């Protein structure tokens, strides 16, 4: 079974600084997707960024970028120029290609942004 | 795109009662998922529909749980004879095949 591990229960960053959230996963599949979702307090889960395993190029979305290391099964999220609105729980998730495409989530990292 | 809608946002009920939640997916999405999220944990998969067919169920989905998606549109999740351990946030998500999942706000269930 696939598993996703987020080893940092909590992280904090100063406004305008950069922070990196870690994620490792375990799978025997070769074709899959990885995601970072953001869940603000009492608010909706929002997709931050998506990475296809077959793509060597790391995905970027504005201030958000990933470092995808397929051999190491590592998928970290870098947030640049952190803003107060970035404060949330961040979940790393895995999905194999095909089948139900259900998501397997890590336990999350709570990010605090200090002014 | 009106997003995924879930109703109610909060449900408080006594142990042993039945509850039903509703999810309205994004209209063009053929796939619908239910997840459960307990405090301090990531969401866990419960079940999945493609159109009106329920194609996969997690072992977490005991026989007290039933889900439907009549006509491949909205979906309902019913919990019979609720127990304390059912207290959680129930999340619905929808997607197209191969697309990213979009989540609703969730229904928070509290069992007294």
């Amino acid at each position: 079974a696939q598993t996703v591990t987020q080893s940092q229960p909590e992280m904090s960053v100063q406004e305008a600084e950069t922070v990196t959230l870690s994620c490792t996963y375990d799978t025997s599949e070769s074709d899959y997707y990885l995601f970072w979702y953001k869940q603000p307090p009492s608010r909706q889960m929002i997709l931050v960024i998506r990475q296809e395993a077959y793509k060597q190029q790391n995905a970027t979305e504005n201030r958000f970028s990933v470092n995808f290391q397929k051999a190491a099964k590592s998928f970290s999220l870098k947030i640049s120029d952190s803003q107060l609105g970035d404060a949330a729980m961040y979940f790393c998730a895995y999905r194999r290609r095909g089948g139900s495409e259900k998501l397997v989530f890590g336990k999350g990292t709570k990010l605090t942004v200090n002014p | 795109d009106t997003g995924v809608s879930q109703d109610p946002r909060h449900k408080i009920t006594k142990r042993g009662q039945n509850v039903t939640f509703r999810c309205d997916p994004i209209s063009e999405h053929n796939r619908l998922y239910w997840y459960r999220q307990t405090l301090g944990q990531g969401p866990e998969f419960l079940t999945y529909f493609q159109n009106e067919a329920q194609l996969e169920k997690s072992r977490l989905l005991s026989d007290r749980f039933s889900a439907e998606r009549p006509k491949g549109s909205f979906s309902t999740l019913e919990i019979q004879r609720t127990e304390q351990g059912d207290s959680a946030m129930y999340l619905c998500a929808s997607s197209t095949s191969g697309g990213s999942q979009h989540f609703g706000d969730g229904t928070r269930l509290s069992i007294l």
Side-chain angles (χ1 to χ4, degrees):
Chain A
Q2 295 85 11
T3 58
V4 176
T5 302
Q6 293 180 250
S7 59
Q8 305 155 316
E10 296 187 25
M11 291 283 285
S12 63
V13 63
Q14 292 295 125
E15 198 175 3
E17 297 294 308
T18 295
V19 65
T20 299
L21 308 184
S22 300
C23 173
T24 58
Y25 59 95
D26 188 25
T27 183
S28 58
E29 304 281 343
S30 60
D31 198 3
Y32 51 87
Y33 300 87
L34 296 164
F35 305 85
W36 280 97
Y37 279 88
K38 169 185 177 181
Q39 189 178 41
S42 300
R43 294 188 63 187
Q44 195 176 67
M45 185 91 70
I46 302 165
L47 177 64
V48 174
I49 201 164
R50 159 182 164 145
Q51 174 79 44
E52 289 87 348
Y54 66 86
K55 289 187 177 179
Q56 292 187 340
Q57 186 172 6
N58 289 324
T60 62
E61 287 288 342
N62 300 314
R63 297 182 296 107
F64 299 87
S65 62
V66 298
N67 183 3
F68 173 47
Q69 301 289 329
K70 191 172 183 179
K73 296 181 181 174
S74 170
F75 183 62
S76 61
L77 174 70
K78 185 172 81 172
I79 306 174
S80 303
D81 185 25
S82 297
Q83 301 175 359
L84 294 177
D86 295 333
M89 284 293 292
Y90 285 81
F91 292 97
C92 179
Y94 163 98
R95 189 191 92 193
R96 57 170 285 203
R97 181 187 289 269
S100 70
E101 300 184 339
K102 65 187 177 189
L103 291 168
V104 178
F105 287 88
K107 290 188 175 182
T109 296
K110 181 180 180 181
L111 179 66
T112 300
V113 181
N114 300 309
Chain B
D1 181 354
T2 58
V4 178
S5 177
Q6 291 190 246
D7 184 69
R9 291 292 305 275
H10 298 96
K11 178 71 176 179
I12 301 172
T13 191
K14 293 182 180 179
R15 182 166 53 93
Q17 297 295 303
N18 299 342
V19 295
T20 300
F21 311 140
R22 177 180 171 123
C23 172
D24 287 89
I26 294 171
S27 58
E28 62 267 28
H29 287 181
N30 62 335
R31 293 182 174 222
L32 187 146
Y33 302 81
W34 285 99
Y35 294 85
R36 182 173 70 186
Q37 185 178 21
T38 54
L39 202 60
Q41 302 293 320
E44 295 176 289
F45 170 78
L46 291 179
T47 191
Y48 147 71
F49 291 85
Q50 181 159 321
N51 300 312
E52 67 276 9
Q54 187 175 19
L55 297 184
E56 186 171 341
K57 293 194 289 187
S58 164
R59 57 180 173 79
L60 294 175
L61 213 66
S62 76
D63 55 7
R64 295 185 298 107
F65 288 70
S66 62
E68 295 182 340
R69 193 184 181 196
K71 302 179 183 178
S73 56
F74 71 91
S75 176
T76 59
L77 177 67
E78 181 184 15
I79 309 174
Q80 296 182 328
R81 305 180 303 281
T82 51
E83 301 174 355
Q84 289 286 347
D86 297 331
S87 294
M89 176 77 84
Y90 290 84
L91 297 170
C92 177
S94 70
S95 73
T96 57
S97 297
S100 297
Q101 293 179 28
H102 296 257
F103 284 80
D105 287 338
T107 294
R108 182 168 296 283
L109 174 65
S110 298
I111 308 297
L112 300 178

